[in-house]
Amino acid sequence: MSKPKIATASLAGCFGCHMSLLDIDERILDLVELVDFDKSPINDLKKFTGKVQIGLIEGGCSTDENVQVLRDFRRHCEILISVGDCATQGGIPAMRNTVPLLECLEEAYCNGPTVYNPSGAIPNDPEVPLLLDKVYPCHEVVKIDYFLPGCPPSADTLFQAIVALLKNEPVDLPYELIKYD
Amino acid sequence: MSNTITFSIDGKEIECKAGRTILDAAEENGIYIPRLCHRKGVSPHGSCRVCTVIANGKPMAACTTPVTPGMVVENDAEEVTAMRKAIIEMLFVEGNHFCMFCEKSGNCELQALAYRFGIAAPRYPYLFPHREIDFGHPDVFIDHNRCILCARCIRTSREIDGKEVLGFVERGPRKKVAANAEHGLRETEIAVGDEAMAACPVGALMPKHVGYQVPIGKREFDHEPIGSDIEKEAKASTK
């Protein structure tokens, strides 16, 4: 029987949660015994090879591309997990949510004190993902099965949750592993 | 003793002096009832409803409801816990609570209650309201993004510090704590040593210049849930 597969993605995140996953140190050897990595920045695989058992999502949805990737993950993953405060709450990128989008863009590309932009244009290339009106936590876009908050969630939190799911056990994390910072 | 009355919490018989609130009587007997707007030493407010218990079949705020003889109180019940979790989740979505960079993180009672109840993410959509920060005072600031309108600062400042520096203004979703001065905190007598500063359960009324002083791992709620001190006292005294 082939090993279960795991896929990961970073949407509007800082890759800190992926770094925390690497922080499981030598336990990563145990993890590769248990799973194969499918689409993930860790192995640089760009496309799903098929159905995967567990999807880990870092970051919330800030652009249309984030939403497409998230929906793609939902289609391919049996269990989808929001990892980190950006995925579960919007996090730092969601600080722009209290300011209208046009004001954010004007501050970044026109009015900011350190901006040098003689044309005064706001980037509008089809190659640049389109920003959403707000940054959305993942569960406001697709159904999410588990939440692992933290900035980032500790390596222990990630490892214990993933191993529990792979062993078909309940994800019952102790008090010290559910933290928002 | 005529002024002692007996009632029960979760089936446990408890004796207390007449006139005690459910919350105080429970605490004296080592039972922690979660609370946010209540603070020892100032008058109860009954506004956050986190301390809701079922008293004689009705949901009541434990911090404002006096115990009556024979009262049957449910505290550790599924229905009660569900209500409390819902309230805490609503408090998270209706403000802007960015724990990852908040100076209060680890010592925050709102966060600690979410930890105690094992809330991984709120079920409600985030509102992301636009709120102001009053940063004009040299030593003290109010970040309205984090304020949960518990009125602990207002009551503590009035009743303990003896100052008239803070109060509520406006109504409904626009309600907020305001300084009793035209241009905000800097024109008031609030001082960094005021008891009101220690009263804020979240990171709303905060001292300047001293952020992140306690490292992660040594903060108040890093290892033990809020309320553990009350529950521990009970265990120690029954041994």
Side-chain angles (χ1 to χ4, degrees):
Chain A
M1 206 180 99
S2 63
K3 283 189 273 184
K5 286 182 197 157
I6 193 166
T8 74
S10 181
L11 308 179
C14 68
F15 268 93
C17 297
H18 275 83
M19 298 308 283
S20 194
L21 181 60
L22 297 179
D23 229 11
I24 61 176
D25 298 330
E26 74 279 5
R27 283 176 293 181
I28 203 157
L29 298 173
D30 302 333
L31 195 60
V32 293
E33 286 294 311
L34 291 169
V35 289
D36 281 327
F37 272 83
D38 205 87
K39 177 182 161 81
S40 169
I42 288 176
N43 56 12
D44 210 23
L45 206 61
K46 308 287 191 206
K47 289 199 171 115
F48 281 103
T49 60
K51 278 270 175 198
V52 307
Q53 276 64 51
I54 299 173
L56 303 177
I57 299 289
E58 169 188 344
C61 287
S62 178
T63 68
D64 63 338
E65 190 197 22
N66 293 153
V67 174
Q68 282 164 18
V69 172
L70 182 57
R71 286 184 177 153
D72 195 29
F73 264 72
R74 183 67 274 182
R75 273 192 294 272
H76 284 90
C77 302
E78 282 171 20
I79 297 169
L80 197 56
I81 310 177
S82 267
V83 176
D85 287 345
C86 297
T88 60
Q89 307 168 13
I92 300 279
M95 287 184 78
R96 78 164 162 94
N97 288 5
T98 63
V99 181
L101 178 59
L102 186 61
E103 266 181 56
C104 289
L105 289 168
E106 283 171 349
E107 181 70 15
Y109 293 105
C110 311
N111 305 331
T114 57
V115 171
Y116 175 74
N117 181 12
S119 76
I122 292 169
N124 189 25
D125 191 286
E127 287 293 310
V128 180
L130 209 58
L131 288 173
L132 305 178
D133 64 331
K134 282 196 301 189
V135 176
Y136 293 88
C138 294
H139 63 276
E140 292 185 18
V141 179
V142 299
K143 183 183 181 292
I144 297 291
D145 303 302
Y146 291 93
F147 299 89
L148 298 175
C151 191
S154 71
D156 289 337
T157 306
L158 290 165
F159 187 72
Q160 288 192 24
I162 293 168
V163 170
L165 286 170
L166 290 170
K167 290 184 174 170
N168 231 350
E169 288 167 3
V171 181
D172 206 3
L173 296 172
Y175 176 81
E176 283 172 302
L177 294 189
I178 292 283
K179 290 282 181 288
Y180 297 166
D181 58 6
Chain B
M1 291 225 306
S2 59
N3 64 344
T4 305
I5 56 176
T6 312
F7 75 113
S8 77
I9 298 181
D10 298 328
K12 186 186 166 198
E13 290 280 309
I14 285 173
E15 271 190 7
C16 74
K17 281 190 198 138
R20 278 274 186 271
T21 62
I22 300 172
L23 189 136
D24 286 342
E27 185 160 334
E28 284 160 16
N29 286 278
I31 296 170
Y32 170 70
I33 297 178
R35 77 293 300 260
L36 257 182
C37 74
H38 184 70
R39 185 163 197 261
K40 250 185 209 152
V42 293
S43 55
H45 200 239
S47 61
C48 75
R49 310 318 268 194
V50 169
C51 70
T52 297
V53 292
I54 309 279
N56 289 341
K58 280 167 71 181
M60 304 291 279
C63 71
T64 54
T65 310
V67 174
T68 55
M71 185 182 252
V72 177
V73 176
E74 292 170 60
N75 173 48
D76 187 13
E78 217 172 287
E79 184 189 356
V80 176
T81 306
M83 279 193 276
R84 290 174 182 162
K85 279 171 103 162
I87 291 166
I88 293 158
E89 290 173 34
M90 283 190 262
L91 287 169
F92 268 97
V93 298
E94 78 171 15
N96 297 313
H97 298 280
F98 293 102
C99 296
M100 67 290 290
F101 63 81
C102 180
E103 306 95 301
K104 195 79 169 196
S105 189
N107 299 312
C108 169
E109 291 181 32
L110 176 64
Q111 186 192 57
L113 281 169
Y115 291 169
R116 186 181 166 108
F117 285 106
I119 297 168
R123 74 196 84 164
Y124 308 109
Y126 283 90
L127 299 183
F128 294 116
H130 182 77
R131 304 247 188 101
E132 301 292 331
I133 302 175
D134 180 345
F135 212 71
H137 191 283
D139 303 318
V140 174
F141 68 92
I142 296 183
D143 186 342
H144 294 289
N145 291 293
R146 303 166 180 171
C147 181
I148 54 168
L149 306 177
C150 66
R152 270 163 57 161
C153 59
I154 299 173
R155 284 174 287 148
T156 307
S157 185
R158 273 194 198 142
E159 297 171 20
I160 295 181
D161 299 327
K163 295 179 181 179
E164 288 286 337
V165 295
L166 299 162
F168 280 130
V169 293
E170 305 222 44
R171 298 255 169 207
R174 285 186 300 277
K175 183 172 177 174
K176 62 174 182 176
V177 171
N180 184 18
E182 199 177 342
H183 299 107
L185 277 183
R186 69 187 157 96
E187 290 178 348
T188 69
E189 286 171 15
I190 197 164
V192 74
D194 283 3
E195 190 59 25
M197 297 296 301
C200 184
V202 292
L205 181 61
M206 295 289 283
K208 288 185 178 178
H209 323 299
V210 289
Y212 319 106
Q213 275 206 320
V214 183
I216 290 175
K218 293 191 171 174
R219 303 169 306 180
E220 199 175 352
F221 305 117
D222 278 340
H223 302 292
E224 290 193 326
I226 187 168
S228 299
D229 48 339
I230 294 169
E231 291 163 338
K232 252 188 228 163
E233 256 172 51
K235 269 184 204 150
S237 63
T238 51
K239 265 174 199 165

